[in-house]
Amino acid sequence: MKVLVTEKIDGRGIELMRKRGLQVDEKLNLERKELLDIIGNYDALIVRSATKVDRELLDSASKMKVVGRAGNGMDNIDVKYAVERKIECINAPDSNSIAAAEHTIALLLAVCRNLPKGDSTLRDGLWERSRLMGVELYDKTVGIVGLGRIGKMVAARLQAFGMRTVAYDPFIPELDMARLNVKKVDTIDELMKICDFITVHMPKTKDTIGLIGEEELKLAKKDLRIINCARGGLVDENALYTALMEGRIAGAGIDVFVEEPCTGNPLLTLDNVVATPHLGASTREAQVKAGIMTAEKIAAILLGEEEMTGTR
């Protein structure tokens, strides 16, 4: 059985598969044509977020049994078509939850306390204490859009700061939220009206793209600060840019963008935006877990130790 790895994963995952008797080829940074030319030789494919596993690629993968994404989500994989082709799709959803939750908190604090600007101006020889006045988290209301694994971790951590936590998630019952000391709201509009901070933790689907857009931002408090460490496009970038430029909201922390790399994004020109290059899962610990979890699932499926279910 042959496994193709097109993006860097932790070496312990590679070693695990080879010890199980699989032939593993690491071919990083392949051109699209090169990938299409060789994919038919492989029984499994492991990617992260850059490789687009679309219809064209899947149609060329004549021997493919399983596609694995070493991380959370499968936005870059055409899962529906893969399942039609009887190709299993797997990922490692728990591998980067802690990393993403912690990065959310880091961005939130950086936005509140002007940390990047304070660092850069001090290095430039300036001492701008009065200009870089921040705000506290204590006794403020944070709205969490999506109370899944990461959303729950973020809620618990922000409660430790003395914040009131409310959440919008139509799939989580009110009683379950209450057990987490989180108040349920039924609409995004309600959330926008009452929150001092909003952090987004929804998957990217046709229903969640633009979930927070122009109309929603019109309802926001003037001192709202919004964080997106989930997926690019859940918060409409153009609407967010306009709201920040016009001073209708106070700031934003953004780790994910519609187009990546995004070095020319207009949001990067604003002083009230703290941006990072999709670092939510970029910890040593998360990368080790993602590589090992993905490798274990790939090996189990190829060696017939687990039944194929379509997605997991």
Side-chain angles (χ1 to χ4, degrees):
M1 294 284 189
K2 297 178 65 176
V3 181
L4 176 63
V5 180
T6 61
E7 297 176 66
K8 185 69 175 176
I9 69 169
D10 188 82
R12 277 160 277 199
I14 303 292
E15 183 181 358
L16 182 152
M17 289 186 287
R18 286 175 176 160
K19 283 183 175 179
R20 299 295 305 278
L22 302 177
Q23 178 183 327
V24 183
D25 294 340
E26 291 183 271
K27 295 181 181 291
L28 311 182
N29 303 314
L30 286 171
E31 295 291 336
R32 178 71 174 184
K33 184 179 184 308
E34 292 179 274
L35 178 57
L36 291 173
D37 286 343
I38 66 172
I39 194 65
N41 299 321
Y42 291 92
D43 303 281
L45 171 66
I46 295 180
V47 302
R48 291 185 63 189
S49 56
T51 305
K52 303 303 179 187
V53 187
D54 53 16
R55 281 177 171 254
E56 181 185 38
L57 183 61
L58 292 167
D59 282 339
S60 300
S62 55
K63 294 175 59 180
M64 191 66 59
K65 298 175 180 63
V66 55
V67 174
R69 181 173 185 272
N72 187 28
M74 290 190 272
D75 299 346
N76 54 315
I77 302 172
D78 189 336
V79 175
K80 183 178 178 182
Y81 188 62
V83 172
E84 288 178 13
R85 293 280 316 277
K86 300 189 174 4
I87 297 171
E88 186 91 349
C89 295
I90 62 101
N91 64 356
D94 294 322
S95 62
N96 60 11
S97 297
I98 292 173
E102 290 183 356
H103 194 68
T104 299
I105 306 301
L107 265 184
L108 183 54
L109 289 169
V111 170
C112 289
R113 301 305 298 267
N114 299 303
L115 298 185
K117 185 63 68 175
D119 179 79
S120 65
T121 55
L122 187 59
R123 290 172 187 272
D124 289 339
L126 303 175
W127 189 265
E128 298 189 317
R129 291 184 66 194
S130 59
R131 188 173 77 85
L132 298 175
M133 186 70 64
V135 296
E136 297 179 4
L137 299 183
Y138 178 75
D139 202 32
K140 302 288 189 356
T141 299
V142 58
I144 301 168
V145 181
L147 203 66
R149 287 182 304 275
I150 298 170
K152 288 173 183 174
M153 290 181 181
V154 169
R157 285 154 176 76
L158 292 180
Q159 286 167 7
F161 280 91
M163 301 192 80
R164 295 179 293 274
T165 48
V166 301
Y168 168 76
D169 191 323
F171 303 104
I172 306 292
E174 185 173 0
L175 183 60
D176 289 351
M177 288 197 187
R179 292 192 184 104
L180 299 168
N181 198 29
V182 176
K183 179 183 177 183
K184 183 181 177 71
V185 298
D186 294 324
T187 66
I188 290 287
D189 287 1
E190 183 181 353
L191 198 76
M192 300 300 295
K193 292 175 183 177
I194 65 175
C195 289
D196 304 294
F197 303 90
I198 287 177
T199 177
V200 182
H201 301 285
M202 285 280 195
K204 187 174 184 177
T205 69
K206 61 181 178 61
D207 297 318
T208 60
I209 294 173
L211 189 67
I212 296 178
E214 182 178 358
E215 295 305 315
E216 289 76 19
L217 288 167
K218 285 179 180 177
L219 302 172
K221 290 184 174 184
K222 191 171 183 179
D223 57 359
L224 174 71
R225 291 165 173 85
I226 189 164
I227 308 296
N228 184 8
C229 285
R231 291 288 184 265
L234 301 186
V235 180
D236 184 290
E237 291 178 356
N238 293 328
L240 179 62
Y241 176 82
T242 301
L244 289 163
M245 276 288 292
E246 295 178 353
R248 290 190 280 112
I249 65 172
I254 308 295
D255 185 49
V256 289
F257 299 85
V258 174
E259 297 291 337
E260 297 181 358
C262 64
T263 52
N265 193 299
L267 287 167
L268 303 180
T269 66
L270 302 180
D271 283 343
N272 51 354
V273 170
V274 177
T276 50
H278 206 145
L279 296 181
S282 295
T283 65
R284 296 186 186 93
E285 297 86 349
Q287 295 310 303
V288 170
K289 286 184 281 188
I292 291 175
M293 287 179 182
T294 307
E296 286 176 338
K297 290 183 181 181
I298 292 283
I301 291 168
L302 290 182
L303 300 174
E305 297 168 358
E306 289 188 12
E307 291 186 15
M308 296 181 68
T309 60
T311 59
R312 64 186 74 191

